[in-house]
């Protein structure tokens, strides 16, 4: 049997941009992606603490050490610059593996989204 578990979480990052005219996705500072073990194109669940919205899209890397967290395309309508988000990825694994697995949990500086 396989179950879906949290693979990684970036907890409380601030939206730095919303680009409605982009093709789609979420742009995330590549340093944050590396810390959370998120890869280019990976599905990301976005939880908006300000308005309760939940949505899914895919990750694309932004400039390193920039703190960028930009929602692109239709997702841009679900956020405002300055909103606080939680970004979550999941993985499927068997129960034995899931019991031993430790997700990557990242807690960046909430003011500038940089790693401390």
């Amino acid at each position: 049997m396989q179950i879906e578990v949290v693979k990684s979480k970036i907890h409380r990052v601030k939206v730095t941009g919303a680009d409605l005219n982009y093709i789609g996705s979420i742009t995330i500072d590549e340093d944050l992606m590396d810390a959370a073990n998120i890869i280019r194109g990976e599905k990301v669940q976005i939880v908006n603490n300000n308005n309760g919205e939940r949505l899914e899209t895919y990750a694309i890397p932004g400039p390193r050490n920039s703190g960028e967290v930009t929602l692109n395309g239709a997702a841009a309508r679900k956020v405002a610059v300055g909103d606080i988000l939680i970004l979550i990825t999941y993985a499927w694994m068997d129960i034995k593996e899931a019991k031993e697995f430790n997700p990557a949990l990242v807690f960046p500086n909430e003011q500038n989204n940089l790693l401390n």
Side-chain angles (χ1 to χ4, degrees), residues 18-26 46 53 55-57 71-79:
D19 185 357
L20 184 60
N21 295 312
Y22 192 82
I23 296 169
S25 69
I26 182 171
I46 300 162
E53 289 282 354
L55 61 122
E56 293 178 343
T57 190
L71 278 291
N72 302 304
R77 293 199 182 274
K78 303 289 188 178
V79 300

Side-chain angles (χ1 to χ4, degrees), residues 3-58:
I3 61 171
E4 190 173 22
V5 298
V6 173
K7 179 182 133 296
S8 57
K9 178 168 93 166
I10 302 175
H11 190 76
R12 296 188 63 85
V13 289
K14 189 182 299 184
V15 174
T16 60
D19 185 357
L20 184 60
N21 295 312
Y22 192 82
I23 296 169
S25 69
I26 182 171
T27 304
I28 306 169
D29 179 325
E30 196 165 5
D31 287 339
L32 291 174
M33 288 179 63
D34 287 349
N37 196 25
I38 297 172
I39 64 167
R40 176 191 306 263
E42 185 170 358
K43 182 167 86 171
V44 178
Q45 180 182 43
I46 300 162
V47 179
N48 187 327
N49 280 5
N50 291 79
N51 63 20
E53 289 282 354
R54 289 177 173 258
L55 61 122
E56 293 178 343
T57 190
Y58 60 93

Side-chain angles (χ1 to χ4, degrees), residues 41-99:
E42 185 170 358
K43 182 167 86 171
V44 178
Q45 180 182 43
I46 300 162
V47 179
N48 187 327
N49 280 5
N50 291 79
N51 63 20
E53 289 282 354
R54 289 177 173 258
L55 61 122
E56 293 178 343
T57 190
Y58 60 93
I60 60 172
R64 289 188 179 278
N65 201 39
S66 66
E68 181 176 359
V69 175
T70 299
L71 278 291
N72 302 304
R77 293 199 182 274
K78 303 289 188 178
V79 300
V81 172
D83 282 358
I84 300 298
L85 307 179
I86 299 170
L87 310 178
I88 309 164
T89 65
Y90 300 89
W92 287 95
M93 56 189 75
D94 65 47
I95 291 175
K96 183 178 179 186
E97 182 182 11
K99 287 180 179 181

